[in-house]
Amino acid sequence: MARKKNAETAAVAPAAGVGSELATVGKGVVKAIAGHALSRALPYTPPWIAAATLPPAAGTAVNLLWGGEALSAGLASAGLAVGGVVLTGIVWKTGDGTSKVRRFRRAQATATTAASMGWLTCAVAAGPFGRPMLDLWLYGGALLAASWNARQIMAAGSGAEAEETNSGTLGKLQAAIGWEKVTVKDAQGTGKGTVTAAIEVAPGGTVEAVQSTTGRVAAALQVPPSGVIVTPDPENGARATVSLRVADLLKHGVEFAFPAALGLDPTAPIPAGLYADGEVWWLDPFGADILQHLLVMGVTGAGKSEFARTVFAHLATRSQLSLHVIDLAKGRQTVGHIGSGIDWLIQDPKEAKRYVKSLPAAIRARGDVLAAEGLDSWTPASSLNAVVTWIEEAADVSDFEELEEIARKARSVGIWLIVSLQRATWGNVSTDIRANLQASACFGVDKPGDASFCLPDSVTDAGAVPAWGSSRPGYAFATGMGIPMDRWTMEARSSLTDRSVLAALVDAAAPYRDPLDQATAGALGQTYAQRAHQGTNRTTPGAAEKAQRALAWLASAGVGFDSAVPAPAPTAAPAARIPAPAVPAAIPAPAAAPSAYETDEDDEMDELSVAAQMEIEDAYDEVLGAIPGDPEPDAPYAGLGLDDDVPDIDDGDGGMEFEAPERMSTEDARHTLYAELDGWVQTGRLEFSPADLIPATVATGRKRPWLQNELKRMVEAGLLQRDGHGSYTILHSPLQPA
């Protein structure tokens, strides 16, 4: 029996334990549900608390103060009635708004004020707890509290829908700025000096009409003209986004951003500066889906040179990239301190023209290499370097047809063309060339209309017009080059650069820079082999030691780099396809810039040297132009051509006769002609006209048709380049191995 009882007790004990656990869990669930319900209900309790406490408290107070006597009760009631009307009017007036949400809120607030003041007026004499005041309080208070709860629930249930906000400053300025048919929604500050809002135009209005009012908006809000940007919604013609820049976070300048590491690929983005909202202004030309050539425009002093130095300094730290710069006006003044990172800096007009003429051959050669590698366009997987060609004032360097062909064909072979000038009018750069310069960086311009030469219409129509001239150096609008479209209409400012720091940075990157690939160098021919300026790279003797000194200097200045990209081992310089001649050019190249780590370069002296160089060339052309075409223009043989017979001339020499030269074999005749051209190459002469070859042609016993055929053969073979005026440029010496 005892055993049975113990067994029953043992059997009941687990059951009791389970029940206790279930009870504990149940209590926890109830508490959680109650806590959740309370947290959800708390936001809706203030209207009920106000309805339950304020009327009886206020009614009791006024009844005790003035309800004891008929005279005081009447006067107090009249005063409260007048005050209620005034207060109700104030609520109605201050709640002005044109949107549906604001009209409903205005009506609700006005009705609540009128009902509350009316009940309080009656409570002076009747008291808050007498009939019908008690009933009005209970029913009316509950209804008003419920109406406010209903508005809260509807607002919370609207989800991500923007609340209309046509009020405040914009609401009051609607008529003045022509926004009567515009609804402004969800205006909010970014915390970075910018306010953004969504706008929607009513039927009959257009976003284009809103864009035309940005000047009036800027004046009304007292912000810069370029601080009001209206960007259309590409998916809805009735909607747009307005951005108001109310504070300039960039006015004190933007510090130069160093590369994360030395030796990055060309496809790594370039930090060019900051946007108005503090975000980094990235350029990603080689990493974008399509390599887009760049047009840089802005007046003198607008900041183009500072922008160029920032871009050059970053590109000069990359591997598998070659930088070519043409600046005939002030090349060394602008980039002399980082010249070691520029593979080819061209300051001579003749050398610049040779470069442009040789680019088509380089494009063809690079295309052949990419085809052999199975690539449709250039990538870092190719054996070719990416090439960046920056041309200042292109109209002074090349004719439009040449430049248009280069811009059209260079993109796919990994040549990034950048054209920089003050005004990209049709006289400076043709519309066909501009069509191929699909990226833009427009700095300050003097006239708003000038910005349309550089920026897309969608950007200028939105109000992004840098019509500040040179008063805000470094500020610009930029498009293309991998920049997101929503950033096209936001102001950016390029970095401020320090000459000594950039010089050290470029020297430190020398072990990472690759020499120009042989396919491109060979196609550029004698123009490249005889270039006046040669930058340094990993094959340059002493580059590694100089880089170590530069790194130590940068480290002392607090600049360090990631070691994720190892420096390539120094190798011997590749054999030049065409040896450079030892004879110097007619006009000596400027001496290399001194180290900029401790001393700044003298800009004024550089500018004077460039000016002097240009004066020398002008004087040279003037002197040559003064020399007549023939020292004896009236002589019988004046104007004699190769095909003409020599006339009999009585020269008074007593019948002396000369035999015409024997006609050489084709092989010997060509060798004579090629030797003449090779001699010119060895002395640095690369341009000539057919008339310059008359002595060599006569010596072979040949005439003009033969010379013309030979010139045509050499052009087709890629040895010569013919321009549109009948002159020729030697790309390769015919006697040098190809």
Side-chain angles (χ1 to χ4, degrees), residues 331-344:
R332 289 190 55 78
Q333 180 184 357
T334 302
V335 296
H337 54 294
I338 57 174
S340 61
I342 301 175
D343 181 50
W344 193 355

Side-chain angles (χ1 to χ4, degrees), residues 1-22:
M1 209 47 187
R3 254 188 241 139
K4 183 176 180 182
K5 186 173 182 180
N6 290 338
E8 290 176 355
T9 303
V12 171
V18 172
S20 175
E21 291 179 1
L22 290 175

Side-chain angles (χ1 to χ4, degrees), residues 366-388:
R366 290 171 65 89
D368 293 341
V369 172
L370 292 174
E373 294 174 342
L375 298 174
D376 293 330
S377 59
W378 181 90
T379 71
S382 172
S383 62
L384 302 174
N385 279 16
V387 176
V388 178

